[in-house]
Amino acid sequence: MILQRPSTHKETARNKLLPQKIGLFVWRANLERLPVRVELDKRGIDLDSVRCPICNNDIETVAHILLHCSFAKDLWSRVFRWWNLNRPMYANMGKMFQGNRNALSSQTSKLWQSVEWVCGYIIWRNRNLNAFQKKKGNGPTALNEVQLKSYERISRRSKELAMEWNQ
């Protein structure tokens, strides 16, 4: 008997410029399968609150924590300004991780995808630091981290791109 994939199955995200853990994070975010508070509550895990641990303004869903939370909005705005791109509003992560590539060349598009994925991963990491260690991140520091991690990942893993830090 051959096992068939469900019709809702999405392929694992791939970007050879980034570590597999970031691709897995993006894949889980696209499927809305990150362990956010509303999902944990649905599974019967007793929580003090299902509100966002960063802003406390809304229920913590994948879309909220990665797109709509004040910390995420601020960081995305900084990243879009850094790249001189207009920041459109997205309803979910799938749209976010697929957007803005039409206006970019294929090589630049791969770089942008790397920056997007690193940014989402850093937002998620900051959320976890806040939720479990009560450490609050800030936009300028997080932007520096996105820039540094993107540069490190791309410059170490790309054979075609010879990047310098000032680029």
Side-chain angles (χ1 to χ4, degrees):
M1 179 176 159
I2 297 175
L3 296 175
Q4 295 180 352
R5 293 179 178 173
S7 59
T8 60
H9 178 78
K10 293 182 181 180
E11 294 298 320
T12 305
R14 304 270 181 199
N15 183 326
K16 292 180 182 181
L17 299 176
L18 299 174
Q20 188 176 15
K21 71 179 180 179
I22 294 178
L24 262 166
F25 159 77
V26 169
W27 178 65
R28 291 182 73 196
N30 282 336
L31 292 174
E32 297 192 15
R33 300 294 291 180
L34 294 174
V36 293
R37 292 176 182 219
V38 73
E39 295 300 323
L40 295 172
D41 186 59
K42 284 180 190 176
R43 287 168 178 73
I45 296 173
D46 187 27
L47 302 168
D48 292 341
S49 170
V50 293
R51 299 191 76 73
C52 174
I54 295 172
C55 69
N56 202 31
N57 289 335
D58 205 348
I59 292 175
E60 185 189 48
T61 63
V62 173
H64 173 77
I65 202 69
L66 296 176
L67 293 174
H68 307 300
C69 177
S70 56
F71 176 79
K73 280 182 181 180
D74 179 55
L75 184 55
W76 283 117
S77 293
R78 290 172 189 275
V79 169
F80 276 87
R81 271 195 311 267
W82 169 43
W83 273 68
N84 294 320
L85 293 172
N86 293 327
R87 183 181 186 267
M89 292 303 295
Y90 298 106
N92 61 49
M93 291 313 296
K95 298 289 184 195
M96 173 70 195
F97 288 135
Q98 294 169 1
N100 261 338
R101 292 204 203 115
N102 298 336
L104 304 171
S105 69
S106 65
Q107 189 175 34
T108 306
S109 175
K110 198 65 162 174
L111 293 174
W112 172 246
Q113 181 189 59
S114 300
V115 170
E116 278 182 311
W117 289 15
V118 167
C119 184
Y121 184 76
I122 287 173
I123 292 169
W124 180 248
R125 207 179 80 214
N126 271 284
R127 174 263 183 207
N128 289 335
L129 285 172
N130 185 292
F132 301 115
Q133 297 176 13
K134 303 299 181 214
K135 293 182 181 176
K136 292 208 181 248
N138 67 45
T141 303
L143 177 62
N144 290 342
E145 193 174 356
V146 169
Q147 291 170 331
L148 179 62
K149 296 296 182 194
S150 298
Y151 172 74
E152 286 176 348
R153 303 301 201 265
I154 292 167
S155 63
R156 287 184 184 162
R157 292 177 174 253
S158 176
K159 294 177 182 172
E160 304 95 36
L161 298 172
M163 285 186 63
E164 297 297 324
W165 174 250
N166 60 359
Q167 291 175 305

